[in-house]
Amino acid sequence: MIGAPRDPATRAFSNMSAFVDYVKVFCHAGRGGNGCMSFRREKFVPFGGPDGGDGGNGGNIYLEADPGMMTLLDCKMQPHYKSAKGGEGRGKNQHGRNGPDVVLKVPQGTIITALDENGEEVDVVDLAEPAQRMLAARGGKGGRGNSAFATASNRAPRIREEGTLGEERTLILELKLIADVGLVGLPNAGKSTLLANLTRATPKIADYPFTTLHPNLGVIELEFGEKITLADIPGLIEGASKGQGLGHRFLRHIERTRMLVHLVAIEPDKLDFERMWATYEIVRHELQSYTERLTALPEVVALNKTDLVDAEFEPLLEEVCEEFQARGVRTLLLSAIDDEKILHLKQEITRLYEQLQRIEE
Ligand SMILES: Nc1nc2c(ncn2[C@@H]2O[C@H](COP(=O)(O)OP(=O)(O)OP(=O)(O)O)[C@@H](O)[C@H]2O)c(=O)[nH]1
Ligand SMILES: [Mg+2]
């Protein structure tokens, strides 16, 4: 679809180093300005009253979810954030100005764990909604000037407050992408090809394992303008949940999906059910070892690359489907490069997605 506008949720990176999903940042909010002690000095007024203004508050530091971002790279490059201190109170009842707030943008789906100066966990916030904000470190409070202390019995108070210190926080930022559907399968199964042909995403595709080195997101547009987001992650292999291959690190990005599309690539010269079932089981096992929740998600299983099978062997494919069905798994025959088959899969995804929505209502 040359020239078609890209959806902001359709995002990918051309190199792996740009994708950062775990980082530690340090926030130091500005202190409050001191209150002022001062007395009015006017001609012919021998005892002017107190006129020391209050100090301003230190700036707050906020984190804000930005749906247009997909990496914590900026935070990795620059992990220290400071906000300005509040202005000092001055005579003539002039209050110090508040230090401006600092707003640090992070990708939507960032989970923040805030630690205080002693490393104790004080807060965990999930910035799952667009533009959702979290107060990461509060600026110090401005001190009151002496005019704030004047009372009927003490009309010339000689007290004023100092501003308080701003909060210091260490934050652990962990990104877990927000997508409706997770695409899973062994390396080379055709996940990125499917993403590219089902959405406007342009992930890297190649005929070797581990082509995908970071997650890619794409958007399927349904009738009535509704959109489903798909996340394509690097291929899983046996032991992925224990850190083999690349899969382990990236499973967290499908943790929040509501359903899975599981691709099993057929091998045209080995149309053997047991072999395909074993492939299917490897991925299921890795998902389960990572978290049971992933295997509890509804899934669409598609046997991919069926275009590689000669017409005379197509009945064999049907048999494989039946055997999957006999073990309780419904499968679709797919070719990620065939528009008609893709449309069929899209209808299946839509059907399941709408079913999920009805359950939620
Ligand atoms: N003939 C045929 N080739 C396909 C099909 N789907 C994918 N391929 C090819 O298979 C190879 C791997 O495809 P990818 O989309 O990169 O596979 P992947 O699952 O994303 O692989 P990783 O990112 O390495 O996990 C590429 O050469 C694709 O062109 C298909 O349906 N039919
Ligand atoms: Mg890929």
Side-chain angles (χ1 to χ4, degrees):
M1 245 190 261
I2 295 165
R6 283 181 55 160
D7 192 285
T10 299
R11 303 185 293 272
F13 286 99
S14 54
N15 73 55
M16 187 188 179
S17 61
F19 186 76
V20 174
D21 53 12
Y22 189 92
V23 70
K24 205 182 220 187
V25 301
F26 308 93
C27 296
H28 192 167
R31 57 171 298 146
N34 296 328
C36 169
M37 184 158 66
S38 159
F39 293 93
R40 272 204 312 272
R41 286 160 190 270
E42 286 170 38
K43 246 183 187 173
F44 314 119
V45 184
F47 297 106
D51 72 351
D54 301 341
N57 296 328
N60 296 322
I61 304 179
Y62 292 96
L63 264 57
E64 186 180 294
D66 180 346
M69 288 174 75
M70 207 184 131
T71 174
L72 292 166
L73 178 69
D74 292 350
C75 296
K76 191 180 168 109
M77 305 298 282
Q78 208 299 78
H80 294 274
Y81 296 88
K82 271 189 171 179
S83 56
K85 63 180 192 178
E88 308 285 352
R90 281 175 292 153
K92 296 187 183 160
N93 281 322
Q94 297 178 81
H95 296 319
R97 66 183 199 112
N98 293 334
D101 293 338
V102 167
V103 180
L104 166 60
K105 302 262 184 149
V106 296
Q108 184 183 359
T110 303
I111 297 171
I112 297 133
T113 307
L115 311 173
D116 65 11
E117 293 98 300
N118 307 318
E120 299 287 334
E121 195 175 301
V122 283
D123 205 4
V124 180
V125 176
D126 180 358
L127 294 183
E129 301 298 326
Q132 190 183 337
R133 269 193 181 191
M134 170 209 189
L135 176 60
R138 189 185 294 279
K141 232 176 117 40
R144 284 176 294 175
N146 68 337
S147 67
F149 293 94
T151 60
S153 58
N154 183 3
R155 283 190 266 174
R158 302 193 65 80
I159 31 173
R160 53 121 195 183
E161 285 173 334
E162 295 201 334
T164 61
L165 292 176
E167 282 178 331
E168 267 184 63
R169 293 249 190 274
T170 300
L171 307 175
I172 312 279
L173 273 50
E174 188 187 3
L175 173 59
K176 290 188 182 183
L177 291 176
I178 310 272
D180 301 304
V181 183
L183 267 176
V184 295
L186 291 193
N188 236 10
K191 301 177 293 298
S192 303
T193 307
L194 178 64
L195 184 83
N197 291 336
L198 205 52
T199 73
R200 292 172 183 168
T202 51
K204 187 172 173 193
I205 294 164
D207 192 14
Y208 53 81
F210 301 118
T211 305
T212 299
L213 300 173
H214 53 73
N216 300 298
L217 289 182
V219 178
I220 304 183
E221 286 177 34
L222 307 185
E223 278 179 68
F224 313 118
E226 213 185 332
K227 293 173 176 178
I228 306 181
T229 320
L230 252 73
D232 164 34
I233 59 165
L236 300 169
I237 56 169
E238 203 156 8
S241 59
K242 294 189 178 62
Q244 299 291 312
L246 293 168
H248 169 65
R249 257 196 70 200
F250 297 103
L251 280 168
R252 68 163 73 127
H253 296 296
I254 55 164
E255 235 180 284
R256 301 172 180 232
T257 58
R258 302 164 70 194
M259 56 183 271
L260 300 177
V261 171
H262 183 159
L263 294 192
V264 179
I266 57 134
E267 296 165 278
D269 47 342
K270 298 178 195 114
L271 285 182
D272 170 31
F273 164 70
E274 289 299 339
R275 203 179 160 91
M276 283 189 232
W277 179 257
T279 308
Y280 171 77
E281 288 273 270
I282 289 173
V283 172
R284 293 296 290 174
H285 179 75
E286 294 312 320
L287 296 175
Q288 183 174 27
S289 309
Y290 183 73
T291 156
E292 295 268 345
R293 184 183 176 269
L294 284 178
T295 34
L297 292 176
E299 68 166 354
V300 177
V301 183
L303 305 183
N304 191 29
K305 307 197 185 183
T306 54
D307 55 287
L308 297 176
V309 176
D310 288 338
E312 57 184 304
F313 295 117
E314 274 170 16
L316 275 179
L317 274 180
E318 298 291 344
E319 271 176 38
V320 171
C321 286
E322 280 165 23
E323 291 194 73
F324 263 92
Q325 184 70 59
R327 295 205 184 166
V329 178
R330 206 165 83 85
T331 47
L332 287 182
L333 292 178
L334 176 71
S335 165
I337 53 174
D338 178 327
D339 286 345
E340 205 175 306
K341 293 237 167 31
I342 291 174
L343 184 65
H344 187 199
L345 177 71
K346 179 175 166 179
Q347 285 164 346
E348 192 63 21
I349 295 172
T350 309
R351 194 184 60 78
L352 201 59
Y353 181 79
E354 287 176 346
Q355 206 174 324
L356 283 171
Q357 278 192 317
R358 274 198 297 278
I359 294 169
E360 273 175 20
E361 275 164 14

